[in-house]
Amino acid sequence: MSNIGDADSRGVGGPYVVSLRDPTATNRALVGGKGANLARLVEAGLPVPDGFCVTTVAYWELVDDELVNELRDDLLDLDPADTERITDVGSSLRARINALDVPTPIQEAIEDALADIESESETETAYAVRSSATAEDLPDASFAGQQETFLNVQGIDEIVDSVRACMASLFTNRAISYRTKNGISHENVALSVVVQQMVTPSISGILFTADPTSGNRRIAAIEAVLGLGEALVSGETAADAVRVDTPTGDIIDYQIGDQRMAVRPRSEGGVETVELSAAERSNRVLTDEQVRTLVELGTKIQTLFGYPQDIEWCLEDGKIQVVQSRPITSLFPLPTPEPTDDRLHVYYSLGHAQAFAEALPPLVRDVWMSYTETTFEAFGFDGRGPWGVEAGGRVYMDATNLLRIRVLRNLVPKQLAATSEPMGAAMEAILERRSEEFHPDRSLIETLAATPTLVRRTWRGLTASQPLLSAMTNGLLGAFVETPASPEHEEEKWTVWGQEIASQVREQETPAERVRTVFDLLDVAIDFPPTGPLLGAFVAGEVLEGMFPDAPEDVNAVGRGFPKEVVTRINLGLGDLADIARDNPSVAAALREGASIDAIESLEGGEEFRAELDRFLDEFGHRATGEIDVSRPRWREDPSVLLATIRANLNHAETGEHHKHVRQMEQEALAAAERLEQRAGRGLLGPLRRRVTRRLIRTYRGYIQTREYPKQGAAHMFAAWREAFRDAGDMLVTEGHLDDPTDVWFLRINELLTALEGESISVDIAARRVEFKHHKSIDAPPVLTSEGEAPRGEIDRGDVPEGSLVGTGVSGGVVEGIARVIRDPTEETIEKGEILVAPSSDPGWTPLFLNAAGMVVEVGGRMSHGALVAREYGIPAVVSVPEATHEIKTGQRVRIDGTRGLVQIIDG
C-alpha cells in the first residue's frame, strides 16, 4: 500500500491505495476533496475513523475504455438545461463503468489495505465507502451529495463492487449538470473512493461553524439525529436544531425535532430505517456539554482549513468521530477591510441603493470605494472610516458611525427603506436585535458642531434651490407664487455639470494623466448641483399620497405623460427609428437579420436610418446598461441593445404608436388630476383643499419629469471615466504589460498606476476573472454585518397566496403574461406583451420597457428608475423580489399584482 509515486493529471505512476495516515493522502489530485480533507484532519490529530483511499490512479485505469471515452466526449457540448440528454449519456456511462472488471492489481491493493486495518481488530470490520471527486469540497463548489455513498459494507467482494459503483457515480445526472453549470471539465475530473471503518453511532449530525442561514460567522449551527446521519441527509426525520454563540459557548436556542424514525446498521450489512419510541422522540438528543464540545472541535477544524466548515460527525460510545469536513460554499464573503475597533459594523449595499446589485470588476470597485471615502470626508466625517468596503464583488457603505448618532439612528433605516424596502427592514432588524451595539457616540448637535462641512453642504442643498422651499411651503398652504423651473433649464444644469467633469478628464494628454484625473476630480464629482426640484417633486408626491390614500391609481396617474422627460425621449427616439425602418422594407429586413449598421447604411433608406441613429447617439450615446459599472460599453460603442429593441418594435408596434401612447398617458394624467381636485373640493374646507391639491399636482408634474436629469448628466462623467481606463488598457497591451485591453478592469488602482508608470506588475488576471465570474453568480444581500450576517427584516403583506413571490409594489394594477427572464439586455430583448423579469432596471434597461406588459425586478424601491418608468408607462411592477431571475423561468405564465407587491407563477 505504500507504493507512492508522483502521479500526473491522469494518475499515471502513482499508487492504487493510500492510507489516510499517509502524508500523500493530502494530495487532492490523488484522493479527491473528501479524502484530502480527512487526511488533513488525521494529520492534525483530530478524531477520524481509520481508513484508506482508492486513488484516482485506480479510477483512470478502470475507465480506460473506448466506450467510456466516447460517451464522456458526448458531455463536452451539453446544455445544462438539456436534462433528457444528460440522463441518456449519464445512464450509459454509469452502466458501462459498472460492467467493467476491476483490474486485479487494484483489487489486491484494496485487500492489502483491509488487512492492515483488520489486523488491529478482533472482529470482522464493516466499512463506509464514500465517493471523493477531485472537483468537490472546494470553497466555491461543494458537489455535496452528487456521488454515491455506501454504509455498513462487509466483505471484499462487496467493498470492491461499492468502490466501482462510487467511481461510476461521477456521472450521476446531478453531478454532470453541476459540473456543466460551474464550467468544470468532465474530461479532467476524477474520482477517488474513501473506505473507512464503519462507525455505529448513537447520535449523528452536521456542524456548521458559521450559521448557513444568516451567514453569521460568530454563530455555530448543529443538527443532530439518533442513529446514522443518513436520516438527516435524506430528510426522513426532523433533526434537533441548535444555535450557539461560538466565542462564549452560550446556547442561543435548542429546538427538539420530531424524530419518528432513525437509520441504523443491519447485522448482515447495509442499513435499515426503524421507528423510534415516543420517549426517544421527545428527549433532547445532545446535552449542553456535548454541544459545547462539538463547537470547540468545529473551531479547531475551521482554524485548520482557514474557512467556515460543514462537518459531519458521529457520537459512538461517548466519543466524537469526524467523517467529513468541507467548506460552507453558500456563505456570502466577509466585508474587507475588516474593522479594527472590535465592534459590530453594519454595511448597506451601494448597488442596491442604485437598483444595480450586480458584481463589479476590481478596478470599478476601487472607483466607487474612493468615491465613497471622498463623499464622507467632504461631509465632515473624515478620520472615522473606512466608509467603503467590498464583499462578493460589491461595494458596501459603512453605516455604523451614522447609526451611533442618536437622531440619525432612527432616520437611516427610513431613508434606506425609501430606496429599497428590504434594505430598510434589514437595517431595522439588526438595530432592534443588537441595539446595545449602537450606543450613541455623540448627539446630532455635537456632530453638526464638529462637522461644519456637513452643515454647510446640507443647508446649501436645501436653500440654494428656492423651488424646494416653495414646493414645501406654497404647496401645502395653497399659495401660488412661482412656476416650476422648465425641464430644459434643469437638464442643461445637470448636463453642463457632467460634461465639465468629463472634459477635464478627456483634456489630459496621456492615459496615465487621465486615469489620475478621474480620482483627483472625485471631490468635484460629489459637488453636484442643487437637487431642490427633484426633492420638491418627491415632497409633493408624498403629500398627495397622504391626502388621497383611497385613490392610489389617480395619484400614480398624475406622474405620467411627459414628452420632454429623458426616458420618454429615449423611447420616442427608438420608436422613430423603428418607423423609419417600417417605411424602408430593406432596412427592416436587415435589422431582422441582425445586420451591422454599416451594412444597413448602404441599403435604400439606410442613410436616413443611420442619420437618425447618429442624432440619437449624440444625445444618449453616453448611456449604458448598468452604467455605474464603467467597464460596460456605452451605447455609442455598442448600440446592439438599441437595435434589438428596434427589431422587437418592428414586429409588434405600428407607425406612430409610441407618440400616441405618450399623448394617451398625458390625457390620463390630466383626467386623474381633475378627479383628485374634485375629491379635494368636497366639504367645508373644499376650496382651500382644492387649491392645495392643484398646487401640489402642478409642483409634482413640473418637477417629477426632471428625475432622470442627474443621471443623464452623471452618465457623461461615467463615460469619460470608462474612456480613461479603456485607453489605459490599450496602452498597457501595447507596452506588453497586459495581454488583452479588457484585462485593465481586473487590476487594482495601485497596480494600474504602477503599470502606467512603466513598472512591471505581477497579477494573476485569469484567477481574478474566475473570481469575478463566481461573484456574478451569487446574490448579494442588501445589508451585511462585519460578522458576515445578512440580516432580514419582516415586511407585513397580510394574507399572501401560497407560493407567491413577495416584493415591493411600485406601479399598481394586475396583469398576467408570459415571463421573459433577461439578465443582459445587450444580448436579449422582450416581445410585445411579455413580463420583463430582470436583476436590475437602471436607465440602460429603458428600451425594454417599450414592449413590456409588466415588470419584476430583484432590487429597487418606489423611487428607483424602473419603478418611476413603470408608473409613467402604466405597467404593473414589483421590485425587490429576491432571486426572481432564478425562481421564474422564461415561458412561464405569471401574474403580477403591482399594488400588493405579489408575483405568482401560474403555470409552466
Side-chain angles (χ1 to χ4, degrees), residues 76-382:
L76 297 180
D77 299 320
L78 271 180
D79 182 342
D82 189 351
T83 55
E84 184 176 348
R85 182 62 177 155
I86 288 173
T87 299
D88 289 343
V89 179
S91 177
S92 297
L93 269 166
R94 295 192 301 274
R96 178 57 183 173
I97 293 173
N98 276 314
L100 297 172
D101 291 329
V102 176
T104 300
I106 297 175
Q107 292 195 48
E108 291 175 348
I110 294 173
E111 286 188 74
D112 290 344
L114 293 172
D116 285 349
I117 294 174
E118 292 176 1
S119 65
E120 302 176 9
S121 175
E122 297 179 358
T123 60
E124 185 177 355
T125 305
Y127 294 88
V129 181
R130 295 184 173 94
S131 303
S132 177
T134 54
E136 73 180 12
D137 293 351
L138 301 172
D140 57 356
S142 72
F143 279 82
Q146 302 290 332
Q147 284 91 213
E148 288 283 9
T149 288
F150 299 94
L151 299 178
N152 197 26
V153 183
Q154 301 175 11
I156 180 62
D157 292 339
E158 290 293 329
I159 290 171
V160 169
D161 288 346
S162 297
V163 166
R164 179 174 51 207
C166 283
M167 290 180 172
S169 72
L170 186 63
F171 300 102
T172 62
N173 299 344
R174 288 179 61 197
I176 293 171
S177 180
Y178 194 88
R179 285 196 297 273
T180 303
K181 289 178 181 177
N182 285 276
I184 296 172
S185 169
H186 300 291
E187 289 186 300
N188 295 327
V189 69
L191 194 132
S192 169
V193 181
V194 177
V195 181
Q196 288 178 283
Q197 283 184 299
M198 181 69 189
V199 177
T200 306
S202 56
I203 304 169
S204 301
I206 299 172
L207 164 65
F208 298 98
T209 63
D211 187 353
T213 302
S214 70
N216 195 323
R217 268 62 164 191
R218 292 170 57 96
I219 294 177
I222 301 171
E223 294 183 355
V225 296
L226 296 171
L228 291 167
E230 291 306 294
L232 180 60
V233 174
S234 64
E236 292 181 15
T237 190
D240 280 18
V242 195
R243 293 170 69 248
V244 183
D245 184 297
T246 303
T248 65
D250 292 340
I251 296 176
I252 299 171
D253 54 64
Y254 191 118
Q255 297 179 1
I256 299 175
D258 184 13
Q259 298 190 36
R260 297 178 179 275
M261 313 294 288
V263 176
R264 289 180 173 146
R266 295 186 303 179
S267 58
E268 66 272 22
V271 297
E272 63 181 351
T273 301
V274 298
E275 189 172 348
L276 296 174
S277 68
E280 289 175 307
R281 294 203 298 266
S282 61
N283 293 330
R284 276 179 49 163
V285 170
L286 295 170
T287 66
D288 287 0
E289 183 181 356
Q290 289 169 335
V291 167
R292 294 190 180 97
T293 300
L294 279 168
V295 172
E296 290 171 3
L297 177 62
T299 300
K300 293 178 182 177
I301 294 174
Q302 176 173 304
T303 301
L304 175 66
F305 290 106
Y307 195 86
Q309 294 290 297
D310 168 356
I311 301 163
E312 293 184 21
W313 54 270
C314 297
L315 191 64
E316 183 182 40
D317 297 330
K319 297 180 180 179
I320 295 174
Q321 295 279 337
V322 178
V323 296
Q324 183 166 311
S325 186
R326 58 180 171 236
I328 305 175
T329 59
S330 61
L331 296 176
F332 193 76
L334 283 169
T336 56
E338 297 180 12
T340 57
D341 57 7
D342 197 32
R343 298 178 69 175
L344 176 71
H345 282 242
V346 181
Y347 311 93
Y348 66 92
S349 164
L350 174 69
H352 282 77
Q354 294 295 320
F356 180 81
E358 298 171 54
L360 304 170
L363 182 57
V364 180
R365 296 201 298 271
D366 279 351
V367 171
W368 290 112
M369 295 267 282
S370 299
Y371 187 93
T372 297
E373 295 299 323
T374 302
T375 300
F376 278 98
E377 289 174 6
F379 277 86
F381 286 104
D382 55 312

Side-chain angles (χ1 to χ4, degrees), residues 362-509:
L363 182 57
V364 180
R365 296 201 298 271
D366 279 351
V367 171
W368 290 112
M369 295 267 282
S370 299
Y371 187 93
T372 297
E373 295 299 323
T374 302
T375 300
F376 278 98
E377 289 174 6
F379 277 86
F381 286 104
D382 55 312
R384 308 190 76 190
W387 291 92
V389 297
E390 57 182 289
R394 280 79 170 179
V395 173
Y396 283 81
M397 300 175 73
D398 194 340
T400 310
N401 288 325
L402 299 179
L403 295 172
R404 290 174 184 156
I405 300 171
R406 187 172 287 106
V407 176
L408 295 183
R409 179 176 175 179
N410 296 323
L411 181 62
V412 169
K414 291 181 173 61
Q415 293 301 309
L416 291 177
T419 302
S420 167
E421 199 174 10
M423 185 186 293
M427 190 67 74
E428 288 276 14
I430 194 70
L431 283 174
E432 181 177 347
R433 183 161 45 85
R434 306 282 293 273
S435 59
E436 72 283 354
E437 307 273 0
F438 299 96
H439 293 300
D441 284 349
R442 312 186 262 188
S443 68
L444 180 61
I445 293 176
E446 291 172 328
T447 299
L448 295 181
T451 54
T453 305
L454 175 62
V455 178
R456 184 178 69 252
R457 286 179 175 269
T458 302
W459 180 249
R460 191 189 69 166
L462 293 174
T463 61
S465 181
Q466 185 63 25
L468 171 62
L469 298 181
S470 176
M472 296 174 67
T473 304
N474 298 334
L476 294 175
L477 298 180
F480 302 88
V481 176
E482 63 175 303
T483 301
S486 69
E488 292 84 359
H489 174 269
E490 286 298 308
E491 180 171 21
E492 181 182 8
K493 176 181 72 178
W494 286 99
T495 298
V496 168
W497 167 76
Q499 287 181 338
E500 283 183 351
I501 298 173
S503 296
Q504 291 182 65
V505 173
R506 291 181 176 124
E507 68 189 13
Q508 305 303 314
E509 292 186 3

Side-chain angles (χ1 to χ4, degrees), residues 599-676:
I600 291 174
E601 188 175 11
S602 65
L603 303 172
E604 183 178 354
E607 290 185 3
E608 180 187 3
F609 182 86
R610 178 61 182 263
E612 185 64 24
L613 178 62
D614 287 343
R615 280 192 290 271
F616 180 93
L617 293 176
D618 285 343
E619 189 170 8
F620 301 113
H622 62 297
R623 306 305 296 267
T625 303
E627 55 197 7
I628 70 168
D629 181 356
V630 295
S631 72
R632 300 189 176 201
R634 311 293 106 170
W635 286 345
R636 182 178 291 107
E637 299 172 72
D638 180 11
S640 59
V641 64
L642 307 177
L643 297 181
T645 302
I646 295 168
R647 184 164 56 247
N649 190 298
L650 277 175
N651 295 332
H652 300 287
E654 297 178 358
T655 300
E657 183 178 326
H658 49 299
H659 287 284
K660 293 177 184 176
H661 177 76
V662 173
R663 288 195 295 270
Q664 180 184 346
M665 292 293 101
E666 190 170 17
Q667 291 168 4
E668 290 180 4
L670 297 176
E674 179 61 29
R675 288 193 295 273
L676 291 176

Side-chain angles (χ1 to χ4, degrees), residues 771-824:
E771 181 183 53
F772 179 56
K773 182 179 179 181
H774 172 62
H775 287 159
K776 288 172 64 177
S777 71
I778 58 179
D779 293 314
V783 174
L784 191 63
T785 75
S786 51
E787 297 171 354
E789 180 179 0
R792 295 183 181 181
E794 294 296 327
I795 302 174
D796 186 10
R797 291 284 186 260
D799 293 331
V800 175
E802 185 177 354
S804 296
L805 305 179
V806 180
T808 301
V810 294
S811 183
V814 177
V815 66
E816 287 187 16
I818 301 301
R820 173 75 65 174
V821 179
I822 295 183
R823 295 182 175 85
D824 185 352

Side-chain angles (χ1 to χ4, degrees), residues 542-566:
E542 289 289 328
V543 175
L544 282 171
E545 288 183 2
M547 290 179 65
F548 302 101
D550 57 341
E553 294 82 5
D554 282 344
V555 174
N556 279 337
V558 296
R560 299 173 184 165
F562 301 111
K564 295 181 181 180
E565 194 269 333
V566 171

